[in-house]
Amino acid sequence: MRNILLSIAFFSIFSCKNSESKTELTPSTVKEINEIIKVIITEDSLDVFENAKGKKMLCKELIKLNIFIPKKRKNGEIPPPPPPSFNDISITDILNFDRKSTFFKAVDSLYLLKQNLNPEKLEIDNKIVGKINFTTKDKEISKKKTGKPYNYYEMTIPVFSSNNQVAYLEVNHYCGRL
């Protein structure tokens, strides 16, 4: 009897961990993400349309924004942040993003961290905007390695506030050998 109870407890613990590690974005969330991408492309004039002059590309895959909790030193001080890297941001930086107004609130912190369970990549829907110059990160890295010109944007998967009224994402522009 004891072995049966232990095996049931063991099974339930591991089944909970497996369900937490694999998350899927809901269709409505994917639709919201695609709408946000559409607005960024059209309103921020990214020049990624097929008829644009500059021949800039947009990575078809959105990558996950990694939100981390900064480590405290033994004396309780938080060390200065490491040099910024694309798609990594501390929870303190995202909560204090716009000091003039409240962008995210402290109550959003756990919800923001939970979004670290999002998939590593999400593909942009082809139908969101007209004809766009899409590329992949692998293609652009191979161009860079061979010395060919590259000019592309890469975006992160947006993270949302707990009330879904605010979203944050990062856009990075890479270019070289031009």
Side-chain angles (χ1 to χ4, degrees):
M1 181 71 167
R2 181 177 168 196
N3 289 339
I4 293 172
L5 289 175
L6 287 174
S7 63
I8 291 173
F10 184 75
F11 177 74
S12 64
I13 289 171
F14 279 104
S15 65
C16 289
K17 286 186 179 181
N18 288 337
S19 65
E20 285 181 27
S21 64
K22 294 181 181 180
T23 58
E24 293 290 325
L25 295 172
T26 64
S28 63
T29 303
V30 172
K31 184 178 178 183
E32 288 174 4
I33 289 170
N34 280 304
E35 287 297 317
I36 290 169
I37 300 305
K38 179 180 178 179
V39 168
I40 290 171
I41 291 170
T42 56
E43 298 297 322
D44 288 347
S45 305
L46 291 186
D47 294 333
V48 292
F49 295 101
E50 286 181 353
N51 59 1
K53 295 177 189 175
K55 283 290 189 182
K56 293 178 185 167
M57 308 290 279
L58 176 64
C59 274
K60 190 162 180 60
E61 309 97 9
L62 302 174
I63 59 172
K64 181 172 74 169
L65 182 67
N66 298 312
I67 303 171
F68 64 91
I69 300 172
K71 304 272 188 217
K72 288 186 179 180
R73 293 184 179 155
K74 289 182 181 178
N75 61 3
E77 292 180 11
I78 297 176
S85 94
F86 181 63
N87 85 317
D88 285 340
I89 189 167
S90 76
I91 190 70
T92 52
D93 287 344
I94 200 168
L95 289 174
N96 299 320
F97 176 70
D98 186 1
R99 295 182 190 273
K100 296 175 194 150
S101 65
T102 306
F103 195 70
F104 285 107
K105 296 178 173 46
V107 296
D108 295 322
S109 59
L110 288 176
Y111 189 71
L112 289 166
L113 289 170
K114 182 181 176 190
Q115 292 175 69
N116 275 336
L117 298 174
N118 283 345
E120 290 295 318
K121 293 182 180 180
L122 175 69
E123 197 166 291
I124 299 172
D125 185 2
N126 286 339
K127 301 172 191 166
I128 61 164
V129 183
K131 301 189 187 249
I132 294 180
N133 292 324
F134 280 119
T135 189
T136 63
K137 182 81 172 188
D138 293 337
K139 281 184 188 177
E140 298 304 316
I141 288 173
S142 69
K143 282 183 187 178
K144 185 177 181 180
K145 286 180 181 176
T146 58
K148 293 180 181 174
Y150 57 94
N151 193 359
Y152 68 99
Y153 291 100
E154 184 177 37
M155 295 185 204
T156 61
I157 300 171
V159 291
F160 296 93
S161 62
S162 56
N163 64 4
N164 259 14
Q165 297 300 307
V166 177
Y168 175 88
L169 69 96
E170 293 183 357
V171 179
N172 209 8
H173 179 235
Y174 300 93
C175 66
R177 305 271 185 214
L178 299 175

